[in-house]
Amino acid sequence: MAEARPRWESPLTRKLETFVTLSETEREFLAGLESDPRRVAPDSDVAERGEPYDGSAVLLSGWAIEHKTFHDGRRQVVDFLLPGTFIGLYANVCDVADSTVTTLTDATLSRFPSELVVEAFARFPHLASAIAWSTAREAAILSERIASLGRRSAYERLAHLLLELWARLRVRGLDRGDSFAMPVTQAVVADVLGLSVVHLNRSYRRLRRDGYITYDTRSVRILDRAGLERAAGFDDDYLLHRDMSRRLRETLARLSPHGSSLTRV
Amino acid sequence: MAEARPRWESPLTRKLETFVTLSETEREFLAGLESDPRRVAPDSDVAERGEPYDGSAVLLSGWAIEHKTFHDGRRQVVDFLLPGTFIGLYANVCDVADSTVTTLTDATLSRFPSELVVEAFARFPHLASAIAWSTAREAAILSERIASLGRRSAYERLAHLLLELWARLRVRGLDRGDSFAMPVTQAVVADVLGLSVVHLNRSYRRLRRDGYITYDTRSVRILDRAGLERAAGFDDDYLLHRDMSRRLRETLARLSPHGSSLTRV
DNA sequence: CGTTACCTTGATATCGTTCAAGTACCGTGG
DNA sequence: CCACGGTACTTGAACGATATCAAGGTAACG
C-alpha cells in the first residue's frame, strides 16, 4: 500500500499536514474517515440546531455554512465550512447541535461514527495534535470574526473576510494563485458579515473601485494584497499566515521519540 | 486523603462535575493543576496577543477578559473569563496567543505546564470528556455571541449577555440566586457587545425601565427572567440550560465499564 | 477637598438599513 | 428561437439605529 506519495490528496489531509507530518498509519486512518463519500444536494441541512448530530462527518468537497436563524427571519452565518472540515467533531460530547449546517453547493460528505474521534485521540498523538491545532485555528478565526462584527466597518469586514477565505483555501490547496472560487450568494456573505445585502454590495463596489479586487461570476481575484490588508486593518494578522508548529514538534518528539514520522518533515 | 466531600469545591471542579462525575484520582489531578495559586493585580496581562503562552493556567478567582485592541484604539472583547476557566489550554499547539488576556479584578491564577493537558487526555477519559464538553460549550457561547454581534440590536444583545453570564456563573456556583456580581466597567461591557458606552448605558436604562433588571454597584438582579428572555430574543436558548451529558455517559460507560465513578451520579 | 474614574444625559452626525425599482442572467416551455 | 419567470445583482432615496461630541453629576480616594 505504500505507494508513491503524490496521489490525490484530500483537502483534510493536506490541511492537517501543513501542521504535522502524519505517519502512514495515521494517513490511512484519516482515509478511513473519508471512505464513505456521499453526494449531497445544494441547500440541504446536514445538521440542525437543537437536534442531535447524526454522527460525525468530513466535508470532502463543496461549501457549506454553519448558521442560526431567528424566528423573525434574521439569520447569522457563524462560519463557512470549506472542503476538509470536520462536522460534528464534538458530537460525542454534545447532545444537540448549536447551529444548523447547510450546504451551499453540490457537496460530498463522508460520515463516520463519532467514537472514532475518541479513538484517534487515544491512538494517534500526531493526528490528535493536528486535529487540536486545526480546532484551535478555527477558534482563532471565530474570535477574529467577533472582532470584525463588533468593531470593524462594513468595508473592513469584507476585506478581512476575503483575505481570510483566501488563506483558508490556500491551506487546502483550493486557491488559484491570486484568485479563488467563491460559490456563494451575496445574501450569504451579508449574513456572515452581519450586513444587509444592499450595503454589502456597495462595499464590494468600493473594494473594486479602489483597485484591490475584481469580482466576477463568483470568483474573486486579489489585485493588491497589501492594499486589501490595509483596508481590512490587518494590524497583526500574522496569525493567518503563521506556521504554528515549532513548539508542538518539540512536545511530540518528547512524547514519542520513536515517532519517525516527524523526521520526514 | 479521602476526606468527606463537602469541602471547598473549586469553580472548575464544580463546572466539570455538572457534566460528568469524576473519580477521586481525577479530582486529585485537577486539584494538582490548581495547587499553585498566585495573586494577580487587576489590569495585568496574563497572555499577550502574538506572544507565546507562558504555559497553561486555571483562573481560580476573579474576572478577566480575552480581547483584541487595534492600532487606532478600537477594542473588542472576545469573551469574559470567569473563575474556573482554563487559559491557554491549547498552548501545546499554538505558538502564540491570538488574543490578549487581561485581569479586570484582583485574581488568583494557578499555572501548570501545558503538557499536563496532554497527559490528562491520555490518562483520564472522563476528565478528558469533561474538558472537551466545556470547550465545546464555550465555543457554543462564542458562536451565540457572533449571532448577537451580527444580528441583534443593542437592547437584545445586552439582555442576552446578562442571561448568559447568569447561567455561566450558576454553573460555577458563583451566583446569588436571582442576582450576581458583575465587577466590570460599562466600557468593558460595551467592548464585549460592540457598542459605544453611551449607547450601552441607554440600553441598560431601558432594561431597568422595562422592569427586567436592577443594576447597582456592579451587581445585577434579574427581576423578570421570562421578560428578559423575550427581550433577548431567546428563541431557543435551551442550549444554555441544557444538561448535555446523556449521550456521552453511554459512550464513556462503553469505553471504561469499570469506571465506577459514573455510578456515583 | 481636589482629582480621577465612572456613570448619565442631551444634541448632532454617520453608517448601515429598508424600501423601491431596474437590470442582467439564466433555465424552461411554447 | 423567443417569451417568460425566477434569482441574483445593482443603484437611488429616505429613514433609523447607533456613534460621536460635549457636558454635568457622583462617588471613591489620596
Side-chain angles (χ1 to χ4, degrees), chain A residues 8-218:
Chain A
W8 181 75
E9 210 171 33
S10 77
L12 175 59
T13 310
R14 169 138 184 186
K15 176 181 84 172
L16 295 179
E17 288 213 292
T18 59
F19 178 53
V20 154
T21 303
L22 303 172
S23 70
E24 196 55 40
T25 329
E26 289 174 315
R27 225 179 287 121
E28 270 158 24
F29 184 85
L30 266 185
L33 301 184
E34 300 188 311
S35 64
D36 178 30
R38 293 189 329 184
R39 304 211 120 271
V40 180
D43 205 35
S44 340
D45 288 355
V46 170
E48 207 152 343
R49 174 166 168 87
E51 304 291 322
Y53 284 104
D54 179 16
S56 302
V58 184
L59 181 61
L60 298 177
S61 72
W63 285 41
I65 48 173
E66 185 189 323
H67 62 103
K68 315 193 188 223
T69 304
F70 304 171
H71 47 300
D72 61 359
R74 283 180 294 180
R75 184 178 74 155
Q76 178 64 36
V77 172
V78 175
D79 201 7
F80 283 118
L81 306 186
L82 308 176
T85 302
F86 285 113
I87 296 168
L89 197 59
Y90 283 117
N92 285 301
V93 115
C94 296
D95 263 354
V96 300
D98 63 302
S99 309
T100 301
V101 174
T102 305
T103 54
L104 295 174
T105 65
D106 269 310
T108 331
L109 209 71
S110 174
R111 297 187 175 276
F112 60 89
S114 33
E115 290 78 23
L116 288 183
V117 176
V118 179
E119 195 187 328
F121 271 82
R123 286 179 48 202
F124 303 118
H126 294 161
L127 184 55
S129 311
I131 292 175
W133 164 76
S134 124
T135 303
R137 210 143 157 294
E138 272 146 32
I141 288 171
L142 287 197
S143 93
E144 205 52 55
R145 177 136 32 249
I146 285 178
S148 275
L149 291 168
R151 290 301 185 205
R152 282 194 254 257
S153 70
Y155 183 69
E156 293 170 312
R157 278 183 227 181
L158 178 57
H160 200 277
L161 178 70
L162 294 179
L163 288 164
E164 176 205 309
L165 284 176
W166 192 31
R168 289 172 78 180
L169 290 168
R170 257 184 288 130
V171 168
R172 290 149 213 254
L174 297 172
D175 63 321
R176 291 185 312 235
D178 63 348
S179 78
F180 56 91
M182 200 170 156
V184 154
T185 272
Q186 289 194 357
V188 173
V189 179
D191 283 340
V192 172
L193 298 181
L195 297 170
S196 68
V197 195
V198 173
H199 199 61
L200 173 71
N201 187 297
R202 295 192 167 115
S203 306
Y204 261 124
R205 150 164 307 280
R206 245 184 93 196
L207 282 182
R208 259 186 271 130
R209 191 204 57 192
D210 293 349
Y212 300 143
I213 66 165
T214 57
Y215 181 89
D216 159 49
T217 52
R218 304 207 173 157

Side-chain angles (χ1 to χ4, degrees), chain A residues 151 156 233 235-236, chain B residues 67-77 187 191 195:
Chain A
R151 290 301 185 205
E156 293 170 312
D235 197 11
D236 37 16
Chain B
H67 62 102
K68 316 195 187 222
T69 304
F70 304 171
H71 47 300
D72 61 359
R74 283 180 294 180
R75 184 178 73 156
Q76 177 65 36
V77 171
D191 283 340
L195 298 170

